[in-house]
Amino acid sequence: MTNDQKNKLKTQLWNIADTLRGKMNADEFRDYCLGFIFYKYLSERQHLYANEILAEDGIDFLEIDEESEEDQEYLAAIAEESIEQLGYFLKPAELFESLATRALGAKTIEEEDFESLDFSQSTFILDDLMQVLNSIERSTMGKESEEDFDHLFEDLDLTSTKLGRTPKDKNALIAKILVHLNKIDFRLGDTESDVLGDAYEYLIGEFASGAGKKAGEFYTPSQVSKVLAQIVTLGKDRLKSVYDPTCGSGSLLLRVAREVNEVGHFYGQEMNRTTYNLARMNMILHGVHYRNFDIKQEDTLERPQHEGLRFEAVVANPPFSAKWSANKLFESDDRFSQYGKLAPSSKADFAFVQHMLHHLDDSGTMAVVLPHGVLFRGAAEGTIRKYLIKERNWLDAVIGLPANIFYGTSIPTCVLVFKKCREQPDNVLFIDASAYFEKAKNQNYLRDEDVERIVSTYQERKEIEKFSYVATLEEIAENDYNLNIPRYVDTFEEEKPIDLGAVSQELRQIDQDLVGIDATIKGFCDELGIDTPF
């Protein structure tokens, strides 16, 4: 599939979302639009897999008669294989295509002019759709994949008045969505392509830009994700594991996977239930087998779900300066006890750093996005920062990012890179990338060349005037472990020298010009018979 075709698919999907969402906000309609795309994906995947099994018999999965005793044997065999390989099972009548066709009644999808279709007269499929979504979850009960599909469609509330005032109105909107989505070929048979995965990521990004402040809960801008992903994968073509303790929609985990040939296992934790569902969908939709990801829903700091595990790559974009309990009991928690101080309850930034370092493997790399305040704030945070550098020597680099590149906040941010076994243990690299970005209508964004500049500078650990500086540990100690980037990277621009002689000449010329102007004004005043103003 060409880039033009990919872009066309993205545009089609967004147009459907944008035109059908009606009076809903972008973040509200997100759950419906992405949920239906996911259902279509599961259906197409089921159809393709079933046809592989049926290939020898020359039967298409849709041709199977669910009422026939003979075909029941086929269904039982396909169901068993599907649950083992895919993690779920859908009957032919439960496929997306079957429901979309049913919504149109006797009409065939290929023949219709979609713009003129009256969906208020559609066959009522709302109850069938609810049963199908429940059936997907039921097919996994008692199976290895149960946890990964549990309540996966719970945010797809088909009874919500947001879809319409009456059941008929709701049905018309749902039918319209199904029929429009059914027109689009997701090309799942193309094993070399991840077109739908790319389109899904695109949609998440578009919904994020429309959701404003709420977007920070589930999405990290793609270029920022690329910086983190490339840093934690430098020199590697395979990762045993990658972990994101605030995984949102899972986009950052998947971005890491794109930088290597293989990731053994994905781990993540997300507090928001809706976003947790989105992350699981995103994993499955990108072809990550249900056995290869472990996404949990809980508060990461208060109730961690991956205790005892260490990961080769750890990445995160935690909520900036979030509140947490800072309960005294955590002073004996292995994640925090060695530092002598807990992060303040009003700012959990360093609590996330401590949690992530606890889970970082000795040979791993960690990259985390944080607000600039973590670089210089004192009190408990100053104590933690000093311990990390002086006692543990885990900080490898500090990277300053441009302001206004995150949805919902304009504050400047930074990336902290940590390693427990550092190649350059006697220094810390500082990069000031705050001036390298492209301005957009509502926010700034990193260009590909900006990402490349940051990553290559980190990789080569080189000093570039007004951009990067390699600071010794002694220098950092002299600065009392204050990591404020301007202390290390001098970006001062000298003002051009002023030619005082030229300025004097210019002032004399102005005085001469004023003499002529005054004479002209005096002439006008004499004609009018009034006094001059000077």
Side-chain angles (χ1 to χ4, degrees):
M1 187 177 254
T2 66
N3 283 332
D4 283 345
Q5 288 172 315
K6 289 180 182 179
N7 290 333
K8 186 179 178 182
L9 172 61
K10 291 175 182 178
T11 303
Q12 279 179 301
L13 290 174
W14 178 246
N15 285 343
I16 290 172
D18 198 44
T19 56
L20 299 185
R21 66 185 172 95
K23 295 180 180 178
M24 288 188 209
N25 293 326
D27 59 317
E28 291 175 322
F29 195 75
R30 178 196 74 207
D31 304 328
Y32 291 98
C33 191
L34 297 182
F36 285 126
I37 291 172
F38 182 63
Y39 165 42
K40 176 174 167 64
Y41 168 80
L42 293 181
S43 294
E44 292 195 5
R45 211 164 152 227
Q46 175 68 76
H47 194 177
L48 283 171
Y49 184 69
N51 279 351
E52 286 176 18
I53 297 173
L54 296 167
E56 288 185 11
D57 297 312
I59 302 172
D60 188 283
F61 188 50
L62 283 171
E63 296 171 1
I64 288 182
D65 181 1
E66 296 177 33
E67 304 300 320
S68 160
E69 284 189 26
E70 183 181 344
D71 285 359
Q72 284 291 332
E73 294 180 15
Y74 281 119
L75 279 179
I78 292 169
E80 185 177 344
E81 290 291 324
S82 296
I83 291 168
E84 172 66 21
Q85 294 301 318
L86 305 181
Y88 65 94
F89 174 65
L90 282 165
K91 297 175 183 176
E94 295 173 333
L95 297 181
F96 189 100
E97 181 181 347
S98 300
L99 273 185
T101 305
R102 214 175 306 158
L104 284 172
K107 308 180 188 80
T108 57
I109 292 174
E110 292 77 14
E111 296 169 355
E112 287 302 327
D113 174 8
F114 288 94
E115 300 307 317
S116 63
L117 275 175
D118 180 7
F119 286 95
S120 65
Q121 304 303 314
S122 300
T123 304
F124 195 80
I125 58 164
L126 215 51
D127 292 341
D128 291 345
L129 181 56
M130 283 191 239
Q131 289 177 17
V132 169
L133 299 181
N134 289 331
S135 176
I136 294 172
E137 292 183 20
R138 282 200 306 272
S139 73
T140 70
M141 285 184 177
K143 311 297 182 185
E144 195 177 346
S145 59
E146 180 177 0
E147 186 178 348
D148 298 312
F149 285 84
D150 184 44
H151 293 100
L152 199 51
F153 291 100
E154 68 182 354
D155 294 302
L156 217 61
D157 183 3
L158 300 180
T159 63
S160 172
T161 54
K162 292 174 183 175
L163 295 172
R165 191 171 55 84
T166 67
K168 187 176 181 180
D169 293 339
K170 296 183 184 76
N171 188 75
L173 180 60
I174 297 301
K176 192 174 183 182
I177 296 171
L178 296 187
V179 170
H180 276 69
L181 279 177
N182 202 52
K183 288 193 299 175
I184 300 174
D185 182 7
F186 286 168
R187 300 174 71 93
L188 296 189
D190 183 357
T191 55
E192 298 300 313
S193 174
D194 189 17
V195 177
L196 184 55
D198 290 345
Y200 203 75
E201 289 291 302
Y202 164 80
L203 270 182
I204 290 173
E206 288 298 302
F207 279 123
S209 64
K213 193 168 184 178
K214 292 181 182 177
E217 296 175 7
F218 66 90
Y219 189 70
T220 303
S222 60
Q223 294 297 79
V224 178
S225 294
K226 193 183 290 188
V227 170
L228 271 62
Q230 291 187 4
I231 285 175
V232 300
T233 56
L234 279 173
K236 298 179 178 179
D237 56 15
R238 184 187 185 279
L239 286 176
K240 288 179 291 186
S241 57
V242 58
Y243 171 60
D244 183 346
T246 58
C247 68
S249 61
S251 299
L252 185 49
L253 288 170
L254 292 164
R255 179 71 242 186
V256 172
R258 292 175 69 171
E259 300 298 331
V260 291
N261 295 329
E262 182 187 356
V263 172
H265 214 93
F266 298 83
Y267 295 86
Q269 189 165 336
E270 172 56 38
M271 184 166 65
N272 182 285
R273 181 75 189 182
T274 296
T275 314
Y276 159 69
N277 289 337
L278 191 59
R280 291 187 294 164
M281 288 183 189
N282 211 2
M283 286 287 153
I284 295 166
L285 195 138
H286 277 81
V288 180
H289 196 278
Y290 66 87
R291 292 192 186 96
N292 295 339
F293 71 86
D294 181 12
I295 309 291
K296 302 289 190 184
Q297 193 246 324
E298 257 300 353
D299 184 314
T300 298
L301 297 179
E302 306 290 341
R303 288 175 289 279
Q305 297 295 300
H306 297 99
E307 293 184 80
L309 297 178
R310 299 291 181 271
F311 309 108
E312 188 174 1
V314 180
V315 290
N317 171 26
F320 299 152
S321 300
K323 291 180 171 58
W324 75 303
S325 71
N327 192 305
K328 282 283 186 184
L329 292 173
F330 283 129
E331 290 179 355
S332 59
D333 189 304
D334 287 344
R335 295 174 295 167
F336 313 114
S337 58
Q338 61 184 299
Y339 296 86
K341 294 278 187 180
L342 292 176
S345 59
S346 60
K347 294 178 179 66
D349 302 311
F350 267 111
F352 282 111
V353 169
Q354 292 167 308
H355 171 89
M356 294 169 71
L357 284 167
H358 177 72
H359 286 287
L360 180 64
D361 191 74
D362 287 344
S363 60
T365 305
M366 165 183 152
V368 55
V369 181
L370 296 164
H372 263 221
V374 301
L375 303 177
F376 52 78
R377 290 194 297 246
E381 291 180 294
T383 301
I384 295 168
R385 193 168 55 241
K386 181 177 179 179
Y387 181 84
L388 284 170
I389 300 167
K390 183 181 180 181
E391 304 299 331
R392 307 304 303 199
N393 196 14
W394 285 343
L395 180 65
D396 197 48
V398 178
I399 303 167
L401 298 176
N404 198 31
I405 59 171
F406 284 88
Y407 297 112
T409 179
S410 60
I411 65 170
T413 53
C414 62
V415 175
L416 297 188
V417 183
F418 293 91
K419 290 183 176 182
K420 291 183 176 177
C421 296
R422 301 205 296 130
E423 295 87 351
Q424 304 283 342
D426 57 345
N427 61 57
V428 175
L429 174 66
F430 287 82
I431 296 174
D432 186 351
S434 60
Y436 297 87
F437 60 90
E438 185 77 36
K439 276 185 176 290
K441 185 178 180 181
N442 296 320
Q443 65 187 108
N444 303 323
Y445 67 93
L446 295 173
R447 299 159 295 194
D448 287 340
E449 58 264 35
D450 300 325
V451 173
E452 169 63 25
R453 184 181 177 93
I454 292 169
V455 175
S456 64
T457 302
Y458 172 76
Q459 184 174 20
E460 297 168 28
R461 217 168 181 81
K462 57 187 177 185
E463 291 189 356
I464 301 173
E465 188 178 0
K466 301 188 187 306
F467 183 73
S468 63
Y469 179 75
V470 179
T472 64
L473 296 182
E474 289 74 24
E475 284 179 85
I476 295 173
E478 287 170 11
N479 279 312
D480 198 23
Y481 300 94
N482 184 318
L483 303 176
N484 205 14
I485 297 170
R487 286 179 177 246
Y488 304 94
V489 182
D490 181 11
T491 58
F492 177 74
E493 295 280 356
E494 285 190 16
E495 293 184 15
K496 291 181 181 178
I498 298 172
D499 186 342
L500 293 177
V503 172
S504 296
Q505 176 63 37
E506 188 178 346
L507 289 172
R508 283 195 296 271
Q509 183 62 50
I510 290 171
D511 285 340
Q512 289 176 16
D513 293 342
L514 284 173
V515 170
I517 293 169
D518 287 348
T520 303
I521 292 172
K522 184 178 183 306
F524 291 146
C525 290
D526 289 344
E527 286 181 27
L528 296 169
I530 60 175
D531 293 334
T532 59
F534 44 79

